[in-house]
Structures are given as C-alpha cells and as structure tokens.
C-alpha cells in the first residue's frame, strides 16, 4: 500500500509516490498488489509485467476477526482458518498479500498456518502484558496513516479513559495531523524528547506548542520519568508511539520491567 511518507524523496502526491515505488517492478515479472487504490493501479498497469494480481480481488471471500485477548488476527479463507500473530485490520490486508504470494509459488496451507503463528514484527502493535494486568503497546506509527491504523485498533475495544500515551515525533513529520488522531484515543498524552538522539528530533516543549489545545497534556523529556508518570495514571493501557527512535530506547528498559 502507499501513504504520505518520505515525501522529500517520493513526492507529495499519492500518484508520484505510487510511481516511484512501482519503479522496483521488472519487465516480464509477476506483480502482486495488496491495497487496490487508483494511484497504485495506474502505476503498476503502466509496467510491462507478465502477470498482475490484486490480492483483494482473488480473496474476496476471506474475512477476519480480532482476538483482543491473545492479540491475534484470525483470518478465514474459504474453509481454512489462519491464526496470525500480527494484529489489526491492516495486518489482515498484509496477510492476504503474503498469502497470495505464497500460494503463487506453491506453499501449502499447512506450512502457512505454522508460520503465521510465529511471525514477530517489533514495534508494530507489539504487546507487553505486565504482571499487574497493565498492557504496554509499542507502535511505530510515525505518520498520519499509521496513527489512524493504531487509533482504529484501540477504539474498537477500549475507551480513551483506559489509555495513556507517551509520544515523540520527529520534526519533519505531519505532527498536526498526528496530534489530532492521538487525542481521539488517549486520556493523557505525555510528550517526551528525541532532541539528543536525532537531529530531526524535537523536545517535549517544542511538541507541546502543537498539542497545545489538549487539556491532559504533560511534558517530560526524560523517557524513564515519562514512563513512570504514565504508570502513575494507572490506566489499563500505556501506548508508546510516534517514532522508531523512541521505541528503540523504550525496548532497552522494558527488558527489566
């Protein structure tokens, strides 16, 4: 799929992004496309590929349910059930793309079923269940599209009163749009800093000038203190998101949690 990201390199329209990303397609190859958008469809149809397959089209009879206890995406294709260890509607779409590809090269459903239970993708709705029944969710949502996906998963099951969020966003991202989405799913927002870790990083104070209209807003540049503050709110879920640079720091001290 495509969304507005890396626009400095790829262009600021979905058409240009689709065009640039489809540049990887080699002549006389088999092309399998996940999300069927007009922009992607036009971009790939201009390529001299041998075969063009849209996974949405060949799997029209498929469906999914989300297991919020085990955080599995259960996918049904015809009479087969696949337990997928990555979570969310977007992972259902990702699965269909991978499944279509695997079937194209002759992989059996039995092998696919074994594999889907073992897939791990760090910081993509990565769940830590703590002994005190709290849940920590690490998600590398670093653009508007990613933040919308995170919001949709959370509001399907949880009220915003159950969630506190720690976030830091790099300065070249769509901070305004992302901030509005975070406010839809989180009771408290704690802004922390990436200023010392990345030249594009912002301090919590700099971010607060963009999040300024949110009433339950806190600034804590020290990540350990931000995590401690989030715990003190005693909510069911702590979401940590906004940048993979932030999540890499979080994962270091979560080893000891």
């Amino acid at each position: 799929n495509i969304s507005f990201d890396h626009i400095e390199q790829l262009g600021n329209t979905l058409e240009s992004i689709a065009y640039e990303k489809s540049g990887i397609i080699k002549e006389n190859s088999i092309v399998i496309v996940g999300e069927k958008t007009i922009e992607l469809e036009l971009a790939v149809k201009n390529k001299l590929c041998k075969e063009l397959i849209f996974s949405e089209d060949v799997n029209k009879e498929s469906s999914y349910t989300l297991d919020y206890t085990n955080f599995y995406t259960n996918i049904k294709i015809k009479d087969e059930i696949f337990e997928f260890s990555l979570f969310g509607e977007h992972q259902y779409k990702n699965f269909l793309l991978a499944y279509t590809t695997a079937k194209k090269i002759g992989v059996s459903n039995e092998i696919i079923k074994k594999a889907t239970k073992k897939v791990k993708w760090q910081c993509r709705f990565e769940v830590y269940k703590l002994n005190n029944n709290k849940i920590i969710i690490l998600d590398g949502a670093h653009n508007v599209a990613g933040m919308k996906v995170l919001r949709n998963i959370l509001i399907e099951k949880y009220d915003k009163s159950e969630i506190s969020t720690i976030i830091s966003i790099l300065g070249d991202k769509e901070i305004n749009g992302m901030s509005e989405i975070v406010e839809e799913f989180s009771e408290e927002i704690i802004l922390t800093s990436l200023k010392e870790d990345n030249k594009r990083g912002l301090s919590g104070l700099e971010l607060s000038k963009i999040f300024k209209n949110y009433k339950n807003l806190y600034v804590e540049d020290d990540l350990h203190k931000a995590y401690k503050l989030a715990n003190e709110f005693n909510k069911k879920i702590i979401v940590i998101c906004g940048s993979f640079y932030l999540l890499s720091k979080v994962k270091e001290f979560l080893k000891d949690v």
Side-chain angles (χ1 to χ4, degrees):
N1 63 353
I2 55 169
S3 63
F4 290 104
D5 200 12
H6 305 295
I7 58 176
E8 297 84 358
Q9 292 79 27
L10 301 177
N12 59 6
T13 67
L14 290 178
E15 290 87 353
S16 64
I17 293 169
Y19 173 80
E20 293 295 340
K21 289 204 168 189
S22 67
I24 197 173
I25 297 172
K26 306 297 186 292
E27 187 175 338
N28 206 36
S29 61
I30 298 170
V31 178
I32 304 173
V33 179
E35 192 173 34
K36 193 174 184 180
T37 61
I38 293 173
E39 294 84 2
L40 264 178
E41 198 169 352
L42 289 174
V44 298
K45 281 187 173 178
N46 286 329
K47 302 296 179 180
L48 298 175
C49 54
K50 179 172 66 177
E51 187 177 1
L52 177 58
I53 303 168
F54 292 94
S55 62
E56 287 185 4
D57 288 346
V58 298
N59 296 291
K60 284 183 177 178
E61 296 181 9
S62 64
S63 60
Y64 75 97
T65 57
L66 297 179
D67 177 353
Y68 279 86
T69 300
N70 300 301
F71 293 99
Y72 265 49
T73 305
N74 295 316
I75 298 161
K76 184 177 182 180
I77 299 178
K78 296 180 181 177
D79 295 325
E80 301 273 7
I81 302 293
F82 300 85
E83 296 177 309
F84 194 24
S85 57
L86 301 183
F87 193 67
E89 179 187 2
H90 63 302
Q91 298 297 5
Y92 162 63
K93 294 179 180 179
N94 288 339
F95 172 87
L96 291 183
L97 177 61
Y99 176 82
T100 304
T101 306
K103 298 308 294 182
K104 187 68 181 175
I105 60 175
V107 181
S108 71
N109 280 352
E110 288 71 25
I111 291 174
I112 294 173
K113 285 180 180 180
K114 289 179 182 178
T116 54
K117 291 182 178 181
K118 299 177 182 179
V119 178
K120 295 192 183 300
W121 195 356
Q122 291 194 65
C123 302
R124 295 288 190 178
F125 208 87
E126 185 175 358
V127 177
Y128 287 75
K129 292 184 178 180
L130 305 185
N131 292 332
N132 58 5
N133 294 322
K134 285 185 182 178
I135 296 171
I136 299 174
I137 296 170
L138 306 185
D139 195 281
H142 60 281
N143 56 30
V144 168
M147 200 63 76
K148 285 180 178 177
V149 167
L150 176 60
R151 174 200 63 195
N152 292 346
I153 295 174
L154 291 168
I155 65 175
E156 177 75 20
K157 178 68 175 179
Y158 306 106
D159 188 82
K160 67 183 293 183
S161 64
E162 299 178 277
I163 301 172
S164 295
T165 297
I166 301 171
I167 187 169
S168 196
I169 306 171
L170 298 180
D172 57 355
K173 299 297 182 179
E174 299 173 79
I175 302 174
N176 272 308
M178 294 170 69
S179 68
E180 293 171 2
I181 300 167
V182 179
E183 292 168 10
E184 294 177 22
F185 66 75
S186 186
E187 181 82 356
E188 297 91 11
I189 297 174
I190 304 168
L191 304 174
T192 193
S193 177
L194 286 172
K195 204 169 182 68
E196 294 182 4
D197 303 276
N198 190 292
K199 63 182 180 181
R200 295 176 291 148
L202 299 176
S203 69
L205 184 60
E206 288 170 322
L207 286 169
S208 71
K209 295 174 183 177
I210 300 171
F211 281 77
K212 60 185 178 182
N213 294 324
Y214 194 67
K215 62 178 181 179
N216 293 332
L217 189 67
Y218 303 84
V219 174
E220 181 48 77
D221 282 349
D222 184 291
L223 182 55
H224 287 79
K225 291 180 180 178
Y227 178 74
K228 182 180 178 182
L229 177 60
N231 267 297
E232 289 173 356
F233 292 130
N234 203 30
K235 297 300 170 69
K236 183 174 184 178
I237 296 172
I238 299 173
V239 173
I240 307 176
C241 63
S243 170
F244 285 109
Y245 293 99
L246 172 64
L247 301 186
S248 66
K249 293 173 65 177
V250 172
K251 286 181 77 73
E252 284 300 309
F253 71 76
L254 280 183
K255 295 175 184 176
D256 304 319
V257 173

